[in-house]
Amino acid sequence: MNATTGHAADPADRPEIPTRLLVHALVREDGTVDADELYTVAESLGMTGQQVRLCVKRLVTEGRFTQEGRGRGATLRALADATGTLAPDAAYLRHAYRQDAGLAPWDGTWHLFAFAVPETRRTARDALRESLLHLGAAPVQSGLYVTANPVAELVEAHARRLGVLDALTRLTTTDLRIGGTDEPRELAAALWPLDRIAARYERLADFAASRLARLTHDPEPSDAERLTTTVELAAHVGAAMTPDPLLPPELLPAPWPGSRARRLTADCWRHLRAARAGDRPSDLRLFALYADVLDTG
């Protein structure tokens, strides 16, 4: 048994889902969270009622939600759209699906960024480095990063916000050589941990395939089952994709497990969206957030 979730471990077991992210995942399009649904899904994920109560109390204290009523009869109302804390950005997902569909081919250009920020501005330097890594850049050597995606405007925006734009240098090249390596796929394999990224996608694909099989054979799951699967799927997508640099297919091994995992994920989302139960006036924001992404996929 998994001590965290209370479920038997299996190859498609979910990543850890903090209670706070569960609350965020269950925000509906009208900005509310039904406490009865929250407790029901939490129980199915192996969480205790005490965990949920403490988490809700913290979120209300932080001013992220308001609460009307008590216990399972309460309604939470989000004061801001918090769904992004669980799932990758919709534009990021959309780009991934465009790559899978062959709609975003690589033009052979490498985008490089260099910076030299003094120790006295260490916080800004570290923040700029984290921004580059978040955008999928890989370190080449001290202070020099490279990516295959055109993210210069985003990098400059981060540097400007941090007050270190004057320390940033950017350039592009189609002739990148590191040591004796200049073949693009070999460079990508050397710069990014493709094996670890692929393994995360394999786990996502295993989970999505197992849940898709259930949804196909039982097309009318209960609302609680549907919500639980939605939260699990969103957590798996986040765990698989958040560290993914979204390299163009031209730089990846073929077949790439990310493409299969995203295809299975899109099929799951479609089934879950179609299987909506009950007569609630609105559905989860996660479905609205990715509606156009699903159409792309």
Side-chain angles (χ1 to χ4, degrees):
M1 298 289 287
N2 184 314
T4 302
T5 63
H7 292 280
D10 62 74
D13 203 14
R14 72 178 70 88
E16 182 180 358
I17 304 173
T19 314
R20 174 180 294 251
L21 294 190
L22 170 62
V23 178
H24 292 165
L26 294 182
V27 174
R28 295 186 173 273
E29 290 180 84
D30 62 2
T32 64
V33 177
D34 182 286
D36 186 54
E37 287 183 346
L38 173 60
Y39 280 93
T40 298
V41 175
E43 289 167 2
S44 71
L45 294 172
M47 300 175 185
T48 67
Q50 180 71 355
Q51 282 179 275
V52 176
R53 286 189 291 275
L54 290 175
C55 180
V56 169
K57 183 178 180 180
R58 286 194 296 269
L59 290 170
V60 171
T61 300
E62 293 170 7
R64 299 178 186 275
F65 287 83
T66 59
Q67 179 175 343
E68 302 166 9
R70 297 175 61 83
R72 299 184 79 110
T75 297
L76 306 179
R77 185 171 298 278
L79 300 179
D81 185 356
T83 50
T85 61
L86 179 66
D89 180 80
Y92 178 80
L93 267 180
R94 188 180 303 112
H95 181 66
Y97 279 108
R98 283 179 54 81
Q99 286 182 325
D100 294 340
L103 300 176
W106 188 46
D107 63 1
T109 301
W110 297 99
H111 302 261
L112 291 102
F113 303 90
F115 59 90
V117 181
E119 181 66 20
T120 54
R121 305 177 74 184
R122 180 177 180 177
T123 300
R125 183 186 65 198
D126 291 347
L128 180 59
R129 180 186 300 112
E130 289 303 312
S131 296
L132 282 162
L133 295 173
H134 179 74
L135 290 169
V140 177
Q141 57 191 52
S142 179
L144 179 63
Y145 292 76
V146 63
T147 178
N149 293 314
V151 297
E153 290 186 8
L154 295 174
V155 175
E156 285 197 356
H158 283 294
R160 184 177 295 107
R161 176 178 55 81
L162 293 168
V164 292
L165 182 59
D166 58 337
L168 177 69
T169 299
R170 65 182 180 91
L171 65 147
T172 61
T173 182
T174 57
D175 183 23
L176 178 64
R177 176 182 291 270
I178 300 177
T181 303
D182 61 2
E183 199 282 319
R185 284 181 188 265
E186 292 180 10
L187 286 170
L191 288 165
W192 286 274
L194 299 185
D195 288 345
R196 294 203 298 272
I197 296 170
R200 289 193 292 265
Y201 275 120
E202 293 287 4
R203 288 192 289 272
L204 170 59
D206 288 345
F207 176 83
S210 69
R211 296 308 184 265
L212 187 59
R214 293 185 191 179
L215 292 166
T216 301
H217 289 95
D218 184 14
E220 296 185 4
S222 69
D223 212 19
E225 292 171 335
R226 174 179 179 262
L227 292 174
T228 300
T229 299
T230 298
V231 173
E232 292 176 315
L233 183 61
H236 266 286
V237 171
M241 292 198 65
T242 301
D244 184 3
L246 291 189
L247 294 175
E250 293 87 348
L251 298 179
L252 295 170
W256 177 242
S259 301
R260 175 174 176 267
R262 284 189 288 266
R263 183 175 65 253
L264 290 167
T265 296
D267 289 342
C268 272
W269 280 114
R270 291 190 183 98
H271 278 277
L272 289 165
R273 185 171 58 174
R276 175 180 171 184
D279 56 358
R280 294 188 177 277
S282 65
D283 209 342
L284 298 185
R285 280 185 179 175
L286 283 172
F287 287 111
L289 183 65
Y290 293 141
D292 59 338
V293 175
L294 297 180
D295 292 338
T296 302

